[in-house]
């Protein structure tokens, strides 16, 4: 059984990390990152052509994680594949030992490094959850039986700070109805809004793992604001990093505070160190989050 | 209507050069391309001038009532048989369907003078917005008359996506998220807003579609 599912269902505070597959065939740097972050986490999200930019497939990189003894969360975006390709990758993933699935719509191709690409978006993330739920029951999306069912622990993305909230909430509830058992969020800065989201999701029996970014420099903040979908670093946070004598240390302090705050509200924390992988153990420790595996 | 825009002029000249054309006949369109200011009388006149300036002999021109109507275009071609015959090639200032209709009607190389951009609405004079992809399975009944297939840049039926911020779109950032707009309009009308639409049946849009509504023939099917 998925360690992530097990921990969340037992009410343990979980830690997930984010791993971007390499842009190329050399997995050595990714292995190094996995080696640093993996032992601290219940599971590692393996992104799927994140930011609509070319990377090794999530499926391939998930296998590297498995090989190293870490539990992957297989990400699938609806941008790059039609319903046939998505279903066949899901079957392969389960057969190869991948137990967690996170489905996302995906960034628009024109925001990535192949802006001329045709976005597929044959189905949306709610549909993909419905399909994966069906595959867990042993049938394809046409309702036809499969030779062997999957058993994915299904997750999706949600955005606690999104306004109008009713639109975001309706969409989130739709995803829970479609089979999502856990949600991961973009970095959250407003803890009241996070609490609002966690309450709403808990009311439907699902879990929330809240995101933290290590905003190590003003340049990173500008990048995040310009390029990361559904995310805007609030001015008071940006100012704190920008005006710090040592922005990097200020970012680490901020991350510690955020993890500690999330610890009080959500079911887990999703750590996005943006290159500061080596600082993850320290942040978790200072925030009082003891990785248990 | 079909919104067209002027094709890169050099490409038209290169096309003509590729068949060694010295003389050209120009066809416009009295419907969409006239409304889009790309293939009406003034634009046909302008194209004639540009062609002359580029050294071509312009043998004649016409603006059929509707250039995507096979029968009408055939009649028009017959009317202009002499000047069409005198031309080495035809340039059509109409949508792709119009250009093909002309190509079916004349035994000459036919080149598009416009790009077919989209099926849109005239928002105000000279301003056009894409509103429909002709998906073959309309969802406007469920979406308050706002098409998510077309006006959501990702074509999502169920939104908003994770990039929506403060009600604005993730991709076209100066525009509201259409899924927020859909919810607002439905709410204003007191209609159910919580519906998750099923995946689209893309088989309804298999190419090429064909439809016959003739009483005599077998009943038509738009696939
Ligand atoms: S749902 Fe399909 S047919 Fe209806 S407006 Fe949109 S694209 Fe056109
Ligand atoms: S923000 Fe709304 S309109 Fe824009 S891509 Fe996302 S769902 Fe579509």
């Amino acid at each position: 059984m998925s360690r992530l599912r097990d921990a969340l269902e037992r009410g343990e505070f979980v830690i997930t990390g984010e791993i971007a597959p390499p842009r190329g065939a050399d997995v050595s740097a990714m292995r190094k990152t996995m080696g640093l972050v993996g032992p601290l986490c219940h599971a590692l999200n393996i992104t799927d052509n994140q930011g609509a930019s070319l990377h090794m497939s999530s499926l391939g990189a998930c296998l590297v994680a498995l090989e190293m003894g870490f539990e992957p969360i297989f990400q699938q975006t609806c941008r790059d594949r039609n319903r046939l390709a998505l279903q066949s990758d899901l079957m392969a993933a389960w057969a190869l030992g991948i137990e967690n699935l996170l489905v996302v719509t995906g960034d628009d191709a024109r925001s990535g490094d192949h802006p001329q690409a045709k976005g597929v978006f044959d189905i949306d993330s709610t549909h993909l959850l419905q399909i994966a739920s069906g595959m867990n029951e042993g049938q394809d999306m046409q309702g036809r039986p499969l030779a062997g069912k999957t058993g994915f622990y299904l997750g999706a993305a949600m955005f606690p700070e999104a306004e109008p909230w009713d639109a975001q909430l309706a969409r989130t509830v739709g995803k829970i109805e479609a089979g999502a058992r856990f949600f991961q969020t973009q970095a959250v800065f407003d803890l009241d809004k996070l609490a609002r989201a966690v309450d709403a999701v808990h009311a439907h029996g699902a879990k929330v793992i809240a995101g933290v970014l290590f905003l190590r420099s003003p340049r990173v903040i500008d990048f995040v604001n310009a390029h990361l979908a559904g995310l805007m670093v609030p001015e008071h946070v940006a100012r704190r990093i920008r005006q710090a004598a040592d922005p990097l240390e200020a970012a680490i302090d901020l991350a510690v505070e955020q993890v500690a705050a999330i610890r009080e509200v959500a079911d887990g924390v999703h750590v996005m160190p943006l290159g500061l992988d080596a600082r993850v153990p320290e942040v978790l420790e200072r925030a009082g989050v003891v990785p248990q595996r | 209507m079909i919104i067209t825009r002027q094709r890169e002029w050099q490409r038209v000249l290169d096309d003509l050069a590729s068949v060694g054309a010295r003389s050209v006949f120009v066809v416009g369109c009295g419907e969409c391309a006239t409304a889009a200011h790309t293939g009406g009388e003034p634009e046909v006149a302008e194209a004639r001038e540009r062609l002359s300036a580029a050294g071509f002999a312009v043998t004649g021109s016409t603006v059929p009532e509707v250039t995507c109507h096979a029968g009408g275009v055939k009649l028009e071609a017959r009317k202009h048989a002499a000047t069409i015959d005198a031309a080495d090639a035809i340039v059509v200032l109409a949508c792709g369907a119009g250009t093909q209709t002309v190509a079916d009607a004349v035994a000459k190389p036919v080149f598009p003078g416009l790009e077919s951009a989209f099926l849109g609405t005239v928002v105000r004079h000279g301003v056009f917005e894409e509103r429909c992809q002709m998906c073959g399975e309309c969802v406007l009944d469920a979406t308050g008359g706002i098409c998510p297939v077309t006006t959501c840049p990702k074509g999502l039926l169920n939104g908003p996506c994770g990039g929506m911020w403060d009600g604005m779109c993730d991709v076209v950032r100066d525009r509201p998220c259409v899924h927020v707009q859909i919810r607002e309009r439905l709410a204003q009308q007191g209609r159910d807003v919580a519906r998750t639409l099923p995946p689209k049946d893309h088989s309804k849009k298999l190419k090429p579609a064909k439809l016959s509504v003739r009483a005599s023939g077998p009943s038509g099917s738009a696939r």
Side-chain angles (χ1 to χ4, degrees), chain B residues 192-210:
Chain B
D192 180 20
V193 289
R195 190 158 152 198
T196 296
L197 296 174
K200 276 219 92 65
D201 177 358
H202 293 294
S203 73
K204 299 259 167 68
K205 190 57 190 166
L206 286 185
K207 296 182 287 187
K210 195 171 173 144

Side-chain angles (χ1 to χ4, degrees), chain A residues 83 106 122 124 127 163 171, chain B residues 154 158 160 162 167 197 200 202:
Chain A
R83 58 192 83 183
D122 180 25
D124 63 35
H127 298 145
E163 302 291 349
R171 177 106 163 105
Chain B
K154 298 177 186 173
N158 301 297
L197 296 174
K200 276 219 92 65
H202 293 294

Side-chain angles (χ1 to χ4, degrees), chain B residues 151-154 156 159-164 168-171 175-179:
Chain B
T151 55
C152 163
K154 298 177 186 173
L156 304 177
C161 75
M164 183 272 289
M168 301 301 277
C169 176
D170 173 29
V171 184
R175 229 189 48 186
C177 166
V178 302
H179 289 283

Side-chain angles (χ1 to χ4, degrees), chain A residues 83 105-108 110 120-127 130-131 141 159 161-164 166-168 170-171 174-175 177 225-232, chain B residues 152-168 170-173 177 179-180 183-184 187 193-203:
Chain A
R83 58 192 83 183
T105 299
D107 296 317
D108 191 84
R110 66 199 105 163
V120 180
F121 301 112
D122 180 25
I123 53 170
D124 63 35
S125 49
T126 307
H127 298 145
Q130 288 168 344
I131 290 168
M141 78 175 286
F159 298 84
E161 291 172 299
E163 302 291 349
D166 66 331
Q168 181 61 208
R171 177 106 163 105
K175 288 181 182 180
E177 284 168 354
N225 286 345
H227 295 291
L228 294 196
L231 185 58
M232 215 44 89
Chain B
C152 163
K154 298 177 186 173
L156 304 177
L157 297 183
N158 301 297
C161 75
M164 183 272 289
W165 190 258
D166 261 343
M168 301 301 277
D170 173 29
V171 184
V172 187
R173 293 192 172 188
C177 166
H179 289 283
V180 172
R183 293 181 59 82
E184 278 169 3
V193 289
R195 190 158 152 198
T196 296
L197 296 174
K200 276 219 92 65
D201 177 358
H202 293 294
S203 73

Side-chain angles (χ1 to χ4, degrees), chain B:
Chain B
M1 62 179 240
I2 307 294
I3 312 301
T4 43
R5 56 185 159 74
Q6 174 65 55
R7 189 181 178 92
E8 205 184 316
W9 188 244
Q10 189 55 49
R11 179 132 178 223
V12 179
L13 297 180
D14 291 348
D15 283 342
L16 291 170
S18 74
V19 295
R22 311 279 319 131
S23 52
V24 187
F25 185 89
V26 182
V27 182
C29 170
E31 275 295 333
C32 299
T34 290
H37 303 287
T38 48
E41 297 286 359
E43 295 80 25
V44 166
E46 193 190 322
R48 292 183 62 139
E49 272 167 39
R50 290 176 94 164
L51 286 164
S52 300
F56 293 95
V58 179
T59 63
S61 62
T62 178
V63 179
E65 229 173 284
V66 263
T67 305
C68 59
H69 190 295
V73 167
K74 273 197 191 109
L75 273 178
E76 199 68 17
R78 231 171 278 150
K79 252 196 296 183
H80 295 269
T83 40
I84 288 175
D85 256 3
D88 298 328
I90 321 274
V91 169
V92 183
L93 303 183
C95 71
T99 305
Q100 293 182 58
T101 311
V102 173
D104 287 347
V106 300
K108 296 273 175 181
V110 171
F111 298 114
L114 305 180
E115 304 291 352
S116 300
F118 53 85
L119 171 55
T121 291
V122 184
V123 181
R124 52 184 179 275
H125 190 73
V127 179
F128 313 107
E129 271 178 16
E130 185 172 24
R131 289 293 172 85
C132 175
Q133 310 254 297
M134 299 184 281
C135 73
E137 190 196 26
C138 197
V139 300
L140 289 176
D141 53 336
T143 59
I146 298 171
C147 173
V149 176
T150 308
T151 55
C152 163
K154 298 177 186 173
L156 304 177
L157 297 183
N158 301 297
C161 75
M164 183 272 289
W165 190 258
D166 261 343
M168 301 301 277
C169 176
D170 173 29
V171 184
V172 187
R173 293 192 172 188
D174 59 357
R175 229 189 48 186
C177 166
V178 302
H179 289 283
V180 172
Q181 291 183 308
I182 288 169
R183 293 181 59 82
E184 278 169 3
R185 187 176 288 177
L186 287 172
Q188 273 162 15
Q189 297 173 359
R191 294 164 68 191
D192 180 20
V193 289
R195 190 158 152 198
T196 296
L197 296 174
K200 276 219 92 65
D201 177 358
H202 293 294
S203 73
K204 299 259 167 68
K205 190 57 190 166
L206 286 185
K207 296 182 287 187
K210 195 171 173 144
L211 175 68
S212 168
V213 291
R214 294 170 74 100
S216 53
S219 65
S221 78
R223 280 198 322 172

